[in-house]
């Protein structure tokens, strides 16, 4: 892009880093909220509860949110939050207390026109409900647009629960048509790493569309059946057993083996840094969909590019979540709620528009889809920064 040093320096640092220590029943947890850049509007991004959260991770995720919101054409800057905690070790009451503490620590910088959180890894609509409730108690008025990913009863949007996966499936369908011209869905093999909100909903939607899902995994390991997995049965099994381990009609497989399976499509829906320079050369997929944020390291990305493996980058492929979060916020501001059909139709329009622009720039400049996505996102941010006189 030929950006000068002033622009690079400006983009290299977050605008606001908020840190706190949350205390729940005598135990302390480090908590962060980073508002990376707000030239396009109030900042927006999820909150992650995970033992491996760090300031650096939240910083990186908040930068990606800035790019993602810009690429999708949303009127938002980017932010992210995190707490260093293993929520699986907390009781329900402790989890509620932690969520409320988070809001008590950062409420001055949150709000529908300031910074709007949402769920991320190991946070969910119930946690959003506690956070909204705490916020409204403190500010003494109703403000459902201060947070998204809420339960429907508290102003959530229809379709939000599976929107990240649905957006990724729209992108997957379009790119397969580009790669293969004509194909039958039942002949397309798909492998999915991660079986949480993003991964399991992607599995369900793709199964319903007739694709053949041959392997899925969660943090404890994976299952594989080359003839195709019965996804509805597996979703039920995971709900009942909290794990995929022990599921009968498939063989067990490690996460490492799963990533290296021969497949048409690999969907990454777990965490960062899953494909690195150590395993990139062994990847056999033709198309990779990044539903997770940052699952491929830059070194690995280069290796995949050389192997001509097409990668739908995270800031495009998983933007369905924040796009429908935006619709949720719009509905909250208008206090007027849409049908599920309208939400999904508008999601498709927005994500396909972003994809088409990415394909156009990628072809025009002869760069990867990721580089094209970054160029489009950065151009919009830089223009807005200049208009505001920040650059
Ligand atoms: P989640 O907490 O619902 O699920 C995470 C899943 O990953 C779980 O099934 C967990 O067992 C699995 N996992 C963890 N470590 C693993 C490993 N080493 N190997 C295989 N599986 C592993 O979280 P989620 O909301 O589905 O988020 C997953 C990814 O998608 C994250 O990178 C997140 O930032 C990204 N994302 C989510 C949304 C959303 O709306 N939920 C939106 C955009 C991006």
């Amino acid at each position: 892009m030929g950006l000068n040093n002033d622009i690079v320096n400006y983009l290299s640092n977050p605008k606001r880093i908020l840190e706190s220590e949350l205390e729940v029943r005598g135990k302390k947890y480090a908590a962060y909220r980073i508002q990376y850049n707000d030239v396009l509007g109030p900042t927006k991004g999820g909150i992650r509860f995970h033992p491996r959260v760090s300031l650096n991770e939240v910083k990186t995720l908040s930068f990606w949110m800035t790019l993602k919101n810009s690429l999708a054409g949303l009127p938002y800057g980017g932010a992210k939050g995190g707490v260093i905690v293993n929520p699986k070790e907390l009781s329900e009451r402790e989890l509620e207390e932690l969520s409320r503490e988070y809001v008590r620590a950062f409420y001055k910088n949150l709000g529908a026109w300031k910074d709007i959180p949402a769920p991320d890894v190991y946070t969910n609509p119930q946690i959003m409900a506690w956070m909204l409730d705490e916020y409204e108690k403190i500010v003494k008025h109703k403000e459902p647009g201060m947070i998204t990913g809420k339960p429907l009863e508290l102003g959530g949007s229809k379709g939000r629960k599976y929107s990240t996966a649905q957006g990724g499936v729209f992108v997957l369908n379009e790119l397969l048509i580009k790669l293969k011209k004509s194909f039958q869905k039942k002949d397309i093999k798909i492998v999915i790493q991660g079986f949480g909100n993003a991964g399991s909903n992607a599995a369900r939607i793709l199964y319903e569309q007739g694709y053949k899902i041959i392997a899925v995994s969660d943090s404890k390991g994976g299952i594989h059946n080359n003839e195709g997995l019965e996804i509805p049965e597996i979703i039920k099994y995971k709900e009942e057993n909290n794990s995929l381990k022990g599921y009968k009609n498939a063989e067990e497989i490690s996460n490492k083996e799963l990533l290296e399976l021969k497949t048409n499509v690999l969907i990454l829906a777990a965490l960062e840094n899953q494909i690195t320079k150590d395993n990139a050369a062994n990847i056999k997929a033709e198309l990779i969909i990044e539903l997770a944020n940052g699952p491929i390291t830059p070194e690995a990305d280069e290796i995949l590019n050389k192997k001509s493996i097409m990668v739908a980058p995270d800031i495009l492929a998983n933007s369905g979540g924040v796009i429908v979060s935006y619709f949720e916020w719009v509905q909250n501001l208008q206090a007027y709620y849409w049908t599920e059909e309208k939400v999904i139709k508008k999601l498709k329009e927005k994500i396909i528009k972003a994809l088409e622009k990415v394909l156009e720039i990628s072809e025009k400049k002869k760069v990867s889809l990721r580089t094209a996505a970054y160029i489009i996102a950065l151009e919009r941010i830089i223009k807005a920064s200049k208009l505001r006189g920040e650059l």
Side-chain angles (χ1 to χ4, degrees):
M1 292 177 77
L3 303 180
N4 67 34
N5 278 348
D6 286 349
I7 299 182
V8 173
N9 285 339
Y10 170 79
L11 292 170
S12 298
N13 294 296
K15 279 202 175 163
R16 191 172 291 121
I17 297 178
L18 305 165
E19 287 184 71
S20 188
E21 209 171 46
L22 311 182
E23 194 170 329
V24 176
R25 313 223 168 151
K27 271 199 178 162
K28 292 189 170 142
Y29 303 92
Y32 308 102
R33 184 75 188 165
I34 300 188
Q35 299 166 342
Y36 199 95
N37 187 291
D38 63 356
V39 291
L40 292 173
T43 49
K44 175 135 196 49
I47 299 172
R48 179 175 293 197
F49 285 179
H50 195 277
R52 286 212 317 265
V53 161
S54 67
L55 179 61
N56 240 337
E57 182 190 59
V58 182
K59 218 187 266 182
T60 307
L61 289 165
S62 67
F63 180 59
W64 280 326
M65 279 313 299
T66 308
L67 297 181
K68 193 185 302 183
N69 294 337
S70 173
L71 178 67
L74 307 180
Y76 290 143
K80 199 85 181 187
V83 180
I84 305 177
V85 60
N86 184 354
K88 292 176 185 170
E89 287 170 3
L90 300 189
S91 68
E92 170 110 348
R93 279 301 297 271
E94 288 167 337
L95 196 57
E96 174 175 352
E97 204 37 45
L98 187 76
S99 308
R100 291 184 184 275
E101 268 294 303
Y102 188 91
V103 172
R104 287 197 278 270
F106 300 126
Y107 76 91
K108 281 192 185 132
N109 292 288
L110 302 176
W113 293 103
K114 287 185 187 171
D115 180 16
I116 309 143
D120 191 65
V121 175
Y122 298 157
T123 53
N124 56 32
Q126 173 62 74
I127 291 175
M128 300 303 109
W130 289 324
M131 289 184 166
L132 173 69
D133 186 65
E134 191 61 31
Y135 182 81
E136 290 182 338
K137 277 190 177 129
I138 296 170
V139 300
K140 298 194 170 57
H141 65 247
K142 299 294 176 201
E143 193 178 322
M146 69 76 54
I147 200 161
T148 60
K150 301 178 290 289
L152 288 179
E153 294 77 3
L154 300 188
S157 176
K158 295 205 167 114
R160 173 64 183 88
K161 221 161 57 188
Y162 61 91
S163 54
T164 302
Q166 181 68 68
V169 171
F170 286 137
V171 170
L172 185 157
N173 280 330
E174 289 296 310
L175 290 179
L176 268 182
I177 294 168
K178 231 186 139 36
L179 269 176
K180 293 188 128 21
K181 308 283 186 281
S182 88
F183 61 89
Q184 294 229 322
K185 288 183 175 167
K186 68 176 175 42
D187 299 329
I188 300 289
K189 290 184 179 171
I190 299 184
V191 168
I192 305 177
Q193 185 202 32
F195 210 66
N197 177 296
S200 72
N201 277 307
R204 178 184 59 75
I205 297 168
L206 291 164
Y207 176 90
E208 284 167 2
Q209 292 192 2
Y211 285 102
K212 189 188 278 188
I213 296 146
I214 59 164
V216 297
S217 69
D218 63 16
S219 58
K220 296 186 190 104
I223 51 176
H224 172 224
N225 183 340
N226 225 19
E227 298 312 308
L229 295 166
E230 276 307 309
I231 296 299
E233 202 179 280
I234 293 168
I235 290 176
K236 205 161 153 250
Y237 185 89
K238 165 99 183 170
E239 270 168 18
E240 283 163 6
N241 299 279
N242 222 350
S243 156
L244 299 168
K245 253 197 158 34
Y247 174 74
K248 285 277 179 308
N249 304 322
E251 61 188 67
E252 281 196 14
I253 184 171
S254 71
N255 257 303
K256 181 180 177 319
E257 290 165 330
L258 173 129
L259 292 174
E260 298 175 8
L261 282 173
K262 187 159 170 36
T263 178
N264 300 104
V265 184
L266 172 61
I267 298 182
L268 301 170
L271 290 172
E272 297 93 86
N273 303 334
Q274 297 302 305
I275 302 187
T276 66
K277 62 179 180 356
D278 300 326
N279 62 355
N282 304 334
I283 303 298
K284 297 173 195 76
E286 296 167 77
L287 170 64
I288 300 181
I289 305 285
E290 291 187 325
L291 278 191
N293 287 304
I296 301 176
T297 65
E299 297 89 348
D301 211 29
E302 255 178 54
I303 299 170
L304 297 175
N305 270 336
K306 283 201 186 111
K307 283 169 61 111
S308 298
I309 296 175
M310 189 184 260
V311 177
D314 46 10
I315 64 165
L316 170 70
N318 72 30
S319 64
V322 73
I323 291 173
V324 175
S325 266
Y326 163 61
F327 296 157
E328 179 176 335
W329 178 79
V330 168
Q331 292 170 77
N332 293 151
L333 295 183
Q334 299 181 336
Y336 183 77
Y337 289 85
W338 305 356
T339 61
E340 190 161 344
E341 292 70 33
K342 175 167 171 175
V343 171
I344 301 304
K345 183 169 163 272
K346 294 227 163 267
L347 163 64
K348 186 171 182 185
E349 280 166 19
K350 250 197 171 344
I351 203 159
I352 296 296
K353 193 168 158 207
L355 171 65
E356 280 169 355
K357 188 101 207 294
V358 168
L359 287 169
E360 180 197 319
I361 297 296
S362 153
E363 276 158 30
K364 201 153 103 194
K365 296 194 184 271
K366 309 239 169 316
V367 293
S368 68
L369 299 185
R370 188 187 313 280
T371 302
Y374 281 178
I375 291 172
I376 299 161
L378 285 173
E379 268 174 357
R380 192 163 170 245
I381 295 163
I382 292 166
K383 265 189 205 150
S385 310
K386 285 185 176 160
L387 285 167
R388 285 181 187 275
E390 291 197 8
L391 265 174

